[in-house]
Structures are given as structure tokens and as C-alpha cells.
Amino acid sequence: MQYWLFKTEPGSYSWDDLLEDGVAEWDGVRNYTARNYLRAQVKVGDLVLFYHSNANPSGVIAVARVVRDGYPDNTAWELDSDHPDPRSTPDKPLWYMVDIEPVRALTEPLSLQAIKAIPDLADMVLVKNARLSVQPVTRTEFEMIVALGGIDI
DNA sequence: GCCAACGTTGGC
DNA sequence: GCCAACGTTGGC
């Protein structure tokens, strides 16, 4: 069992959207580091901190669960999609995605500001590399954030 | 909207 | 392979 943090701008795909959809294809990731995680390391059953970026405030707002291992992101070769990349083809896919489902919202969303104020969370990738949109989280970090968020998983 | 930090591209 | 120029992300 591994733990991750996925970022999304609520204006493009929010936690409410995931609740409505039930399952989401986490498509559109166009960064090689994030792609490598999605392709090989993010696995069914892993738990995901659901993070809203470019929000008021930005922060972790919920927990989701991976329900499908990495597979090619078909939106890359659909040229009318939101994230086309003609370098990626069905024969040689360049980008990957996983599927996730909602688990539970935090009763107390944990803002980035709050996270940065907690010394034990200072080593989070979120704090050290603000831009990575799929990132590993340690079990300790995950459990701390979930507890601060007021829920039991 | 600004801008710092990070990623990517492409000339050499 | 280096690195300058450009593009993107995301906090504020």
C-alpha cells in the first residue's frame, strides 16, 4: 500500500466532480516525473490525498482511492481533447493515467499554509517541489494529514 | 495579474 | 551534453 498526492485545479476538475462521477480517469498529466509514477508505481488500492491547487485556499481537501493501475492516456492522441500531444500514439503511448474513486472528504480541509506550518510535514514533496502534480507521500505524512483533517480511514 | 521556480526544447 | 530561451505551474 502506497500513498500519493494528486493535484487538480478545482476549476477544471474538483472533488465535487469526482463525487458526481464516481470514478475518474486521471488524464491530462503531461510531466515525465508524474508520468513515471502513474505508469509504474501507482497501484489499485493506494490512497490519494486530493489537493486543490489555484484555490482559495489551496490545500488537501479529501481522500481518494486508486481503482485502476496505470494505462495509456488516450486523450493525448485525441487531437480535440484538452491535452493533445501528437507524439503519443496507441502503438507508442507517451502519457499514462490511473482511475480513482472518492473515499471521503476531510471535515477540516488542510491548507497549504497549515501544512507548511507543521514541522513534521516540512519534507513533503508538496513543500519542496510545488509543481509536481502526482507525488509520493509517506505513510506518516498521510496519516498525519488525515488525522488533522478530522477523519478516520 | 505577477512572478519565482521548475520543466522542456532546440541550437550548437 | 550544455545551456539559453521559452513555456507552465501555482502561490500569493
Side-chain angles (χ1 to χ4, degrees), chain A residues 5-151:
Chain A
L5 183 148
F6 286 11
K7 285 191 210 172
T8 179
E9 299 192 28
S12 60
Y13 196 85
S14 69
W15 173 247
D16 285 344
D17 292 327
L18 180 59
L19 288 175
E20 194 170 315
D21 292 346
V23 175
E25 299 183 344
W26 207 251
D27 62 13
V29 174
R30 300 289 181 265
N31 166 286
Y32 288 105
T33 304
R35 186 280 309 269
N36 291 344
Y37 289 131
L38 292 175
R39 185 172 60 181
Q41 291 188 245
V42 181
K43 293 296 177 186
V44 169
D46 288 356
L47 291 173
V48 174
L49 297 173
F50 198 94
Y51 181 93
H52 277 175
S53 61
N54 277 312
N56 300 299
S58 294
V60 176
I61 70 154
V63 175
R65 179 187 293 112
V66 178
V67 293
R68 182 171 172 186
D69 290 352
Y71 63 106
D73 180 348
N74 57 286
T75 67
W77 56 78
E78 287 168 4
L79 299 184
D80 59 348
S81 78
D82 290 338
H83 307 278
D85 185 346
R87 296 173 302 169
S88 188
T89 66
D91 284 347
K92 283 197 156 190
L94 184 57
W95 304 114
Y96 283 73
M97 60 185 173
V98 299
D99 291 355
I100 64 171
E101 67 178 8
V103 174
R104 197 168 312 159
L106 302 186
T107 36
E108 296 287 339
L110 198 60
S111 70
L112 178 61
Q113 186 184 25
I115 290 170
K116 284 179 170 172
I118 298 165
D120 285 345
L121 298 178
D123 288 335
M124 286 188 72
V125 180
L126 181 68
V127 175
K128 298 196 152 177
N129 179 358
R131 293 177 44 133
L132 188 59
S133 64
V134 171
Q135 54 179 260
V137 172
T138 69
R139 179 189 176 90
T140 306
E141 290 162 351
F142 180 88
E143 288 177 347
M144 193 171 303
I145 286 172
V146 162
L148 289 165
I151 62 172

